[in-house]
C-alpha cells in the first residue's frame, strides 16, 4: 500500500512539473503527509493506551498478589536443581531471633538441617523425590528449630516442578511456605478438649462403678442389721447392732459428703470463708477424732514448733484436708506411728505434714494417688476421693499437697498454704 502511495505521489509530481503546478502539488503532498502522520499518531495512541491498561492491570495484580502473600504470611521460593541454589522471591513470614532466617543463595540442605530431627529426614526425602522427578508435587508439615534454643515452631510447605530440561528432568522447583503455629495450637486445643471429654467419660464410668460398690457396702449393713433388730431381745446384743448401723451410716454420709464437696469446689459454688484461728488447736481437734480409730499398737503424736500459731485462711477446708490425710494414714498404717505437725512459717506460708510408717507408695503413683477414684490397694475401704479432695481444696486456698514416700517405709503428705 505504501509503495502504491509513493508511486502515485511520484506520478503527480511529474505531472505537476509538466504543467507547472508545483505549488499545488506540494500543498497536496503536505496534506497527504499530515493525514498519514495523524493516522499513525491515532494508531500509536491506541496501542499505548492498550499497553498502559495492561501495565496497570499487571501492577494492580502484583499489588493484590503481594497483599495476599503478606496477609497469609507466605514466602515464595525457587530452587534450581542444577546449581542447588535456593532463592526467595517474596518472604512475608515473621522474622527475628525466634525464627530461622532463610537467605537467598543458600543451599537446600542448609534449610533442611534447620528442621527438627524428627522431621528432617522425611522432609529431605520428599524434596529429593521432587527434584529427581519421582514425584510431581510436594506437601509437608514440619517443625523448625529456633536458633540457640530448644523450642521449635511449625511450618507448612507446598512445591511443584516449574521447568524441565529436554530429557524431562526437573530443573526448577517453585514452592511456597507458611508458618502454622496458630493452626497447630488450635489442633492441640481440640485434642486436649477431646482428651478431657474422654477423661470425663472415664471418670463418670469410674464414679458409677466405685459409688455402686462403696455405697452398697454400708447400705447392705444398714438394711441387714435393721431387718434383724426387732428379733434381738438381748439389750447388749441389740446395742451392738445399733452401733454397727450407726457406724455404717456415718460411712455412707462420709462418702456422700466427699462427692458433694468436690463437686461444689470444682463448680465454684462454694466460696472461701476466711477466718483467723490457732493452727495448733485445729490440728489437735483433727487428731482427737481418730485417736480411738487407730489399729492396736499405733501411736499418734504431734510435733508443733510453736505453742500457738495464728493464721488466716478457710478453717473448714484446712480442717477437712488434715482429717483426710490423717484418715488416709490410719488406713495404711498397721504398725508404728502417725505424726502430725508443721514447720516454721517462711514468707507467710506454712507447711503442715502428716507422717506415717505405713505401706508406702511407689514413685510412679505419686501423682496418680491424687486422681479421683484411684486406689493403691483395692482391698482398703474407701471411694478413692480423699486425696483428690485434699489437692482441690489446697489449690482453692492458694497452696498444694505433695507426697514423699518409699515402699515399705511409710509416707509423708505435705500441705503448703499461705497464712496471710
Amino acid at each position: 500500500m505504501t509503495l502504491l502511495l509513493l508511486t502515485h505521489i511520484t506520478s503527480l509530481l511529474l505531472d505537476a512539473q509538466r504543467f507547472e503546478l508545483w505549488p499545488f502539488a506540494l500543498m497536496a503532498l503536505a496534506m497527504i503527509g499530515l493525514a498519514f502522520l495523524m493516522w499513525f499518531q491515532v494508531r500509536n495512541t491506541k496501542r499505548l493506551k492498550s499497553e498502559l491498561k495492561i501495565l496497570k492491570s499487571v501492577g494492580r495484580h502484583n499489588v493484590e498478589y503481594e497483599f495476599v502473600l503478606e496477609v497469609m504470611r507466605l514466602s515464595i521460593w525457587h530452587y534450581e536443581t542444577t546449581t542447588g541454589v535456593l532463592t526467595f522471591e517474596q518472604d512475608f513470614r515473621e522474622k527475628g531471633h525466634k525464627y530461622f532466617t532463610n537467605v537467598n543463595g543458600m543451599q537446600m540442605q542448609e534449610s533442611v538441617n534447620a528442621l527438627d530431627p524428627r522431621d528432617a529426614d522425611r522432609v529431605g526425602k520428599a524434596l529429593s523425590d521432587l527434584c529427581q522427578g519421582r514425584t510431581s508435587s510436594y506437601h509437608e508439615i514440619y517443625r523448625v528449630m529456633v536458633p540457640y534454643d530448644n523450642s521449635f515452631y511449625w511450618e507448612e510447605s507446598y512445591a511443584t516442578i516449574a521447568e524441565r530440561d529436554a530429557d524431562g528432568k526437573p530443573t526448577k522447583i517453585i514452592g511456597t511456605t507458611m508458618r502454622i503455629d496458630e493452626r497447630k495450637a488450635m489442633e492441640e486445643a481440640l485434642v486436649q478438649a477431646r482428651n478431657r471429654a474422654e477423661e470425663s467419660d472415664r471418670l463418670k464410668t469410674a464414679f458409677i462403678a466405685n459409688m455402686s460398690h462403696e455405697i452398697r457396702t454400708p447400705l447392705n449393713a444398714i438394711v441387714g442389721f435393721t431387718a434383724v433388730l426387732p428379733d434381738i431381745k438381748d439389750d447388749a446384743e441389740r446395742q451392738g447392732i445399733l452401733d454397727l448401723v450407726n457406724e455404717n451410716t456415718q460411712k455412707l454420709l462420709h462418702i456422700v459428703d466427699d462427692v458433694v464437696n468436690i463437686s461444689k469446689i470444682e463448680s465454684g459454688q462454694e466460696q472461701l470463708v476466711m477466718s483467723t484461728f490457732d493452727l495448733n488447736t485445729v490440728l489437735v481437734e483433727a487428731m482427737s477424732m481418730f485417736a480411738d480409730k487407730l489399729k492396736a499398737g499405733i501411736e499418734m503424736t504431734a510435733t508443733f514448733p510453736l505453742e500457738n500459731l495464728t493464721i488466716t485462711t478457710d478453717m473448714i477446708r484446712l480442717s477437712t484436708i488434715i482429717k483426710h490425710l490423717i484418715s488416709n494414714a490410719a488406713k495404711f498404717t498397721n504398725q508404728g506411728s502417725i505424726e502430725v505437725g508443721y514447720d516454721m512459717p517462711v514468707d507467710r506460708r506454712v507447711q503442715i505434714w502428716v507422717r506415717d510408717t505405713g505401706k508406702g507408695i511407689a514413685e510412679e503413683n505419686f501423682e496418680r494417688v491424687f486422681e479421683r477414684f484411684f486406689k493403691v490397694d483395692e482391698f482398703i475401704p474407701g471411694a478413692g476421693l480423699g486425696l483428690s479432695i485434699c489437692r482441690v481444696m489446697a489449690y482453692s486456698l492458694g497452696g498444694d499437697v505433695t507426697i514423699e514416700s518409699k515402699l515399705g517405709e511409710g509416707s509423708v503428705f505435705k500441705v503448703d498454704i499461705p497464712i496471710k
Side-chain angles (χ1 to χ4, degrees), residues 12 14 81 86-87 96-97 108 116 141 149 162 166 214 224 233 256 286 289 307-308 322 328 334 365 392 418:
L12 288 174
L14 290 174
T81 61
L86 185 64
T87 304
H97 68 279
M108 180 65 78
D116 190 295
I141 296 175
D149 197 346
E214 295 300 329
K233 305 301 181 182
V256 174
M289 290 184 60
E307 291 186 5
N308 294 287
I322 302 305
N328 194 65
N334 296 317
N365 290 326
V392 172

Side-chain angles (χ1 to χ4, degrees), residues 272-277 279 309-315 317-318 321 343-352 390-401 414-420:
L272 290 175
V273 180
M274 307 301 285
S275 61
T276 301
F277 55 90
L279 178 60
L309 177 59
T310 302
I311 66 173
T312 300
T313 187
D314 189 315
M315 184 177 67
R317 292 195 185 189
L318 179 58
I321 293 171
D343 299 329
M344 288 292 292
V346 178
D347 295 331
R348 302 304 298 166
R349 299 184 71 89
V350 66
Q351 188 173 82
I352 307 164
C390 288
R391 175 161 277 184
V392 172
M393 286 188 169
Y395 284 163
S396 70
L397 297 175
D400 194 8
V401 180
K414 299 179 179 181
V415 186
D416 181 78
I417 59 169
I419 57 176
K420 300 300 180 185

Side-chain angles (χ1 to χ4, degrees), residues 290-301 326 329-339 355-359:
F290 295 91
D292 57 349
K293 298 178 182 179
L294 301 176
K295 297 181 180 71
I298 304 298
E299 181 184 8
M300 183 180 292
T301 60
I326 296 175
K331 287 180 187 178
F332 291 93
T333 304
N334 296 317
Q335 60 181 3
S337 63
I338 297 173
E339 186 179 4
R355 180 181 290 112
D356 65 61
T357 58
K359 296 180 178 181

Side-chain angles (χ1 to χ4, degrees), residues 321-390:
I321 293 171
I322 302 305
K323 290 174 183 176
H324 274 297
L325 294 182
I326 296 175
S327 173
N328 194 65
K331 287 180 187 178
F332 291 93
T333 304
N334 296 317
Q335 60 181 3
S337 63
I338 297 173
E339 186 179 4
V340 180
Y342 60 88
D343 299 329
M344 288 292 292
V346 178
D347 295 331
R348 302 304 298 166
R349 299 184 71 89
V350 66
Q351 188 173 82
I352 307 164
W353 43 264
V354 176
R355 180 181 290 112
D356 65 61
T357 58
K359 296 180 178 181
I361 300 171
E363 187 175 352
E364 60 267 23
N365 290 326
F366 279 6
E367 286 301 314
R368 294 198 66 196
V369 294
F370 295 104
E371 296 177 6
R372 296 185 211 172
F373 311 117
F374 177 79
K375 298 173 70 174
V376 175
D377 189 341
E378 292 292 338
F379 297 100
I380 300 296
L385 287 172
L387 292 177
S388 179
I389 290 173
C390 288

Side-chain angles (χ1 to χ4, degrees), residues 2 11 20 22 38 46 63-64 87 91 97 116 146 162 235 254 309 343 380 387 419:
T2 304
S11 177
E20 297 183 352
W22 275 99
M38 290 179 65
K46 288 182 178 180
V63 170
E64 293 174 352
T87 304
D91 193 352
H97 68 279
D116 190 295
V146 175
D235 290 341
H254 181 69
L309 177 59
D343 299 329
I380 300 296
L387 292 177
I419 57 176

Side-chain angles (χ1 to χ4, degrees), residues 129-157:
D129 290 342
L130 181 66
C131 295
Q132 295 297 322
R134 290 190 289 268
T135 58
S136 59
S137 62
Y138 160 89
H139 173 221
E140 290 292 337
I141 296 175
Y142 48 84
R143 287 155 287 199
V144 183
M145 299 302 297
V146 175
Y148 315 110
D149 197 346
N150 291 324
S151 62
F152 60 85
Y153 58 90
W154 288 92
E155 284 191 341
E156 182 175 16
S157 290

Side-chain angles (χ1 to χ4, degrees), residues 17-36:
Q17 184 178 11
R18 186 168 38 228
F19 295 103
E20 297 183 352
L21 298 174
W22 275 99
F24 298 103
L26 290 174
M27 184 179 296
L29 184 61
M31 291 179 66
I32 292 172
L34 181 61
F36 178 77

Side-chain angles (χ1 to χ4, degrees), residues 1 3 69 93 129 137 143 148 160 175-176 190 192 197 203 223 235 260 276 303 329 339 376 393 400 403 414:
M1 179 179 176
L3 183 60
L69 292 179
R93 295 173 298 175
D129 290 342
S137 62
R143 287 155 287 199
Y148 315 110
T160 189
T176 180
L190 288 173
Q192 291 180 1
L203 289 174
V223 173
D235 290 341
V260 172
T276 301
T303 302
E339 186 179 4
V376 175
M393 286 188 169
D400 194 8
I403 179 177
K414 299 179 179 181

